[in-house]
Amino acid sequence: METENLAGIIEAILFASGEPVETDRLCAAAEAGISEVKAALELLKEKYEKTSGIELLKLENSYQLATRQEYAQYIKNALEIKRSAALSPAAMEALTVVAYNQPVTKGFVESVRGVDSSGVVNSLVEKGLLAEAGRLDLPGRPIAYVTTDNFLRAFRLTSLDDLPPLPEQTGQITIDEVMENAENT
C-alpha cells in the first residue's frame, strides 16, 4: 500500500477515535506493517507541521490527533468553553509524587507530602490525570495510582522519560521502601 493512502487511513482512524490509538492497533486496523505505519505517521506529522491547526501527538506507543495549543483560546471562544481552573499547588505536588514514583498508593503520596492527600488524589482521578492501577499486595490491599495519557497530553510529554530529572534524591523514600517496611511489620 502506498504511504499517502496509508496516511489517509491512519488519519481517519485517529480522527474517528478521538483518543490515543496504539501503534499495534493502527497496524492491525490498516493491515500494514510497523515500518509502513511509522512512515505514514511521519508523513502525517510533516503535513500537520506546515500550517495546520491540528497536530499529531505521540504518547508513549500511541498516537492521537489534537488541536494545536496556540489555538486553544480561539476554540474556547468558538465553543464558549470557560477557562479550566489551574491545578492547585497541592494537586501539582501529588501529581509530581505519582509521576516520578508510580505506581503509588494514597498513603505513599501522604507520606511524601506530609498531609492528607485523599481529596487531591481523588480530584486528579476525576480530572483524568491519574488512574487506578489495581491493588498492591500490602495489608489492606491499597489501590495503586498511575498517571494517564491525559497527564502526558496536558503536560506535553511523549512519555514519562521526558520528565525533567529530579534534584538530588537523598532522603527521599521510595515505594519499594514502603512495601519493604510493610512486609517487615
Side-chain angles (χ1 to χ4, degrees), residues 116-167:
D116 178 31
S117 300
S118 295
V120 173
V121 170
N122 291 341
S123 170
L124 292 169
V125 170
E126 286 175 17
K127 290 179 187 331
L129 297 171
L130 296 181
E132 293 182 4
R135 294 189 175 268
L136 296 179
D137 193 20
L138 294 171
R141 307 239 331 122
I143 297 170
Y145 293 91
V146 295
T147 56
T148 64
D149 285 343
N150 284 339
F151 166 81
L152 294 175
R153 199 171 22 258
F155 290 93
R156 297 292 207 207
L157 301 171
T158 301
S159 72
L160 293 173
D161 295 334
D162 294 340
L163 287 169
L166 286 171

Side-chain angles (χ1 to χ4, degrees), residues 87-139:
L87 293 175
S88 68
M92 288 298 289
E93 284 178 8
L95 202 50
T96 302
V97 170
V98 176
Y100 281 98
N101 299 286
Q102 59 189 309
V104 299
T105 63
K106 285 180 187 176
F108 179 80
V109 175
E110 290 171 0
S111 71
V112 172
R113 291 190 61 233
V115 296
D116 178 31
S117 300
S118 295
V120 173
V121 170
N122 291 341
S123 170
L124 292 169
V125 170
E126 286 175 17
K127 290 179 187 331
L129 297 171
L130 296 181
E132 293 182 4
R135 294 189 175 268
L136 296 179
D137 193 20
L138 294 171

